[in-house]
C-alpha cells in the first residue's frame, strides 16, 4: 500500500506562484507541504523549470538579443569560445593583480632592508 501525498501536478493557476517560491529557495519539504504534492514531484517540477528556463536563454551581441536555441552549432561554439576566453581574461587579470601586489611588497621589503644596511654602515 502506497502512503504519502498523491502524485498530482500544480494547478496552472498556481504555477507562477510555484516558480516564485522555487526561485526564493524555499525548501523542497516546504514546497511539498504548501502545494500538497510529494517531495519527488517537487524535484521533477523543479527540474522541468530549469530545463524550460535553459531553453529560453538569450545572449546579447552588439546590442541585439538572440535566443541561444536559434543559433547554429557553429554560432554556439563561437559563443562558448568567447565566454571561455572572457573567463580566462578575468583570471589572468586576477593573477596580474596578485603579481603586482607581490612585486610591490618585495620591493618595499627590499627597500626597508637596504635602509637597515645604511643605518648599520653609518
Amino acid at each position: 500500500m502506497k502512503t504519502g501525498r498523491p502524485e498530482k501536478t500544480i494547478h496552472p493557476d498556481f504555477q507562477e506562484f510555484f516558480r516564485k517560491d522555487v526561485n526564493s529557495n524555499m525548501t523542497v519539504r516546504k514546497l511539498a507541504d504548501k502545494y500538497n504534492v510529494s517531495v519527488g514531484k517537487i524535484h521533477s517540477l523543479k527540474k522541468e523549470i530549469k530545463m524550460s528556463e535553459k531553453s529560453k536563454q538569450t545572449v546579447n551581441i552588439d546590442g541585439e538579443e538572440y535566443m541561444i536555441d536559434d543559433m547554429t552549432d557553429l554560432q554556439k561554439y563561437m559563443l562558448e569560445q568567447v565566454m571561455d576566453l572572457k573567463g580566462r581574461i578575468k583570471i589572468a587579470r586576477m593573477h596580474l593583480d596578485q603579481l603586482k601586489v607581490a612585486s610591490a611588497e618585495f620591493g618595499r621589503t627590499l627597500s626597508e632592508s637596504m635602509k637597515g644596511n645604511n643605518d648599520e654602515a653609518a
Side-chain angles (χ1 to χ4, degrees):
M1 181 166 76
K2 193 173 180 181
T3 61
R5 293 185 175 93
E7 287 296 319
K8 62 181 185 177
T9 60
I10 306 295
H11 190 276
D13 293 344
F14 297 110
Q15 288 188 2
E16 190 58 37
F17 295 110
F18 178 75
R19 285 180 188 273
K20 288 179 183 175
D21 287 341
V22 167
N23 291 333
S24 72
N25 293 324
M26 187 181 283
T27 65
V28 172
R29 172 65 58 205
K30 286 184 180 179
L31 285 167
D33 290 342
K34 182 174 182 177
Y35 292 97
N36 194 28
V37 293
S38 69
V39 170
K41 187 65 176 178
I42 295 295
H43 283 296
S44 65
L45 290 170
K46 285 177 77 171
K47 194 179 288 185
E48 286 176 27
I49 288 172
K50 279 187 180 179
M51 294 298 287
S52 69
E53 287 174 356
K54 187 177 182 181
S55 67
K56 295 178 185 176
Q57 287 182 334
T58 60
V59 64
N60 187 312
I61 302 172
D62 298 329
E64 295 283 327
E65 288 288 323
Y66 297 95
M67 295 285 293
I68 292 177
D69 285 346
D70 295 341
M71 297 172 85
T72 66
D73 288 342
L74 177 62
Q75 290 168 334
K76 289 177 187 176
Y77 175 74
M78 299 310 278
L79 177 62
E80 289 173 5
Q81 289 290 345
V82 169
M83 292 174 68
D84 179 61
L85 290 167
K86 284 184 177 186
R88 288 182 183 203
I89 289 168
K90 181 179 178 181
I91 290 170
R93 282 189 180 130
M94 287 173 39
H95 288 166
L96 179 60
D97 290 342
Q98 292 168 358
L99 291 170
K100 286 178 180 179
V101 169
S103 176
E105 182 60 21
F106 281 121
R108 187 187 64 74
T109 303
L110 175 62
S111 179
E112 287 178 4
S113 73
M114 296 306 289
K115 288 176 186 175
N117 284 347
N118 287 341
D119 292 342
E120 291 173 7

